């Protein structure tokens, strides 16, 4: 008699703060717990505009996705997806191009537990979820779910939203190596969308934020403008180039930061889009 195979039980460690759930709380989501809210409160104590910064970052992703969909891109690869928060990327792009295809990727069991919310798109299009680690980019690029959904011979919009500052270099320049491998796999006409935390404007507050995340087991490596610019080497930046997330074409009414005109010190997140020539 054969054995019945059961899926392994995953310990989500709900008693410990988690970066994805902290971000979910900042966005007004419900997939967070006491430890996450306590850590978020600690962040707010040293950086009161943290919630607004998270929402501005998210709003930039929506603007970027709409821009690229309007420019004719129909394939999107979102790495470091995080906990689903509506509107998700596929909802944004399929509102412009109903036949758009979107692949989400994350290595976090917390995200996987909620991935079903990412798979309900327009019937004309397709969505898929890949469980893989961006630090092993080939595991993303060779995933059967990705290859069944996207045609890597045609342009792809690659989005790395608030992800790369979680890849610490440890003297090996890992984050830039990962991005270069992903860029090399995409054809001419593809786009790269990146947001990244920086300490260029609020070094004291961001240093304290890094300590809070480190205590939660998630070290951060914030990068300056020159390091951020390197992610786009060899590709052509889309106007207005490298800027703060809320300043990248803030043309949608009612977006976070639009009325209050936050300062650079309150935003702490670089953003840019580039296209492969």
């Amino acid at each position: 008699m054969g054995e019945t195979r059961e899926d392994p039980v995953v310990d989500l460690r709900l008693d410990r703060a988690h970066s994805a759930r902290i971000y979910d709380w900042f966005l007004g989501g419900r997939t967070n717990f006491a430890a996450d809210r306590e850590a978020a409160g600690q962040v707010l104590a040293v950086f009161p505009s943290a919630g607004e910064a998270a929402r501005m970052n998210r709003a930039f992703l929506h603007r970027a996705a709409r821009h690229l969909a309007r420019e004719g891109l129909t394939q999107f690869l979102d790495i470091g997806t995080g906990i689903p928060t509506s509107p998700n990327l596929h909802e944004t792009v399929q509102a412009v191009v109903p036949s758009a295809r979107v692949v989400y990727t994350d290595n976090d069991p917390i995200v996987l537990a909620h991935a079903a919310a990412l798979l309900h798109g327009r019937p004309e299009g397709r969505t898929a979820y890949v469980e893989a680690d961006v630090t092993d980019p080939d595991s993303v690029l060779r995933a059967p779910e990705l290859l069944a959904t996207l045609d890597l011979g045609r342009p792809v919009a690659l989005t790395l939203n608030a992800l790369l500052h979680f890849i610490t270099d440890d003297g090996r320049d890992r984050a830039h190596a990962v991005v270069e491998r992903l860029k090399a796999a995409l054809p001419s006409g593809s786009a790269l969308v990146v947001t990244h935390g920086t300490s260029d404007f609020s070094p004291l507050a961001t240093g304290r934020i890094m300590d809070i995340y480190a205590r939660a087991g998630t070290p951060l490596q914030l990068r300056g403008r020159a390091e951020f610019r390197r992610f786009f080497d060899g590709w052509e930046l889309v106007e207005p180039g490298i800027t703060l997330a809320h300043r990248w074409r803030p043309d949608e009414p009612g977006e976070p930061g639009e009325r209050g005109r936050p300062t650079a010190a309150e935003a702490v997140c670089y953003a840019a889009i580039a296209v492969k020539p």
Side-chain angles (χ1 to χ4, degrees):
M1 185 173 179
E3 295 182 358
T4 300
R5 183 176 178 179
E6 296 182 356
D7 293 333
V9 176
V10 177
D11 181 7
L12 298 182
R13 304 185 72 176
L14 303 183
D15 60 334
R16 184 170 182 173
H18 189 282
S19 58
R21 295 193 303 254
I22 295 171
Y23 191 66
D24 176 75
W25 187 86
F26 283 140
L27 293 177
R30 298 181 179 179
T31 310
N32 51 78
F33 300 89
D36 310 304
R37 294 188 284 271
E38 180 180 353
Q42 293 172 2
V43 171
L44 288 173
V46 299
F47 188 62
S49 62
E52 184 75 356
R55 291 187 291 274
M56 288 188 287
N57 183 69
R58 184 77 176 179
F60 162 77
L61 177 62
H62 293 157
R63 292 197 306 279
R66 280 192 293 268
H67 168 77
L68 294 174
R70 290 165 181 164
E71 289 294 306
L73 273 82
T74 61
Q75 300 191 113
F76 291 76
L77 173 56
D78 182 55
I79 302 181
T81 297
I83 294 170
T85 304
S86 187
N88 292 293
L89 181 64
H90 70 279
E91 296 171 293
T92 298
V93 299
Q94 288 179 353
V96 180
V97 182
S99 61
R101 296 184 169 212
V102 179
V103 172
Y104 295 102
T105 302
D106 211 299
N107 70 334
D108 195 324
I110 293 170
V111 179
L112 177 62
H114 297 276
L118 302 172
L119 303 179
H120 299 291
R122 296 288 186 93
E124 304 96 321
R126 288 188 63 182
T127 64
Y129 181 81
V130 173
E131 185 178 12
D133 193 326
V134 69
T135 60
D136 180 8
D138 285 334
S139 71
V140 175
L141 296 168
R142 296 172 182 171
E145 300 91 339
L146 182 148
L147 297 176
T149 307
L150 303 181
D151 176 1
L152 296 184
R154 297 192 301 110
V156 174
L158 169 63
T159 63
L160 304 169
N161 189 48
L163 170 67
L164 295 173
H165 47 238
F166 291 112
I167 303 178
T168 56
D169 288 337
D170 302 324
R172 292 175 291 164
D173 203 23
R174 290 197 308 154
H176 289 96
V178 164
V179 173
E180 287 304 312
R181 174 66 187 98
L182 293 168
K183 288 162 61 181
L186 303 181
S188 175
S190 294
L192 174 63
V193 180
V194 184
T195 65
H196 195 298
T198 184
S199 59
D200 282 356
F201 308 104
S202 300
L204 181 60
T206 51
R208 291 174 176 170
I209 291 171
M210 292 171 68
D211 290 339
I212 294 167
Y213 274 83
R215 289 196 297 271
T218 308
L220 291 172
Q221 182 169 337
L222 305 181
R223 295 179 171 91
R225 183 185 178 90
E227 289 181 290
F228 181 74
R229 176 65 180 83
R230 285 182 54 209
F231 289 120
F232 303 94
D233 282 355
W235 291 36
E236 298 172 353
L237 287 168
V238 175
E239 289 294 333
I242 294 171
T243 185
L244 295 170
H246 68 291
R247 294 179 182 170
W248 198 96
R249 302 194 184 188
D251 56 359
E252 300 293 332
E255 286 185 333
E258 184 175 312
R259 295 180 181 176
R261 299 183 182 277
T263 65
E266 294 170 322
V268 298
C269 191
Y270 282 126
I273 299 177
V275 175
K276 187 170 187 176

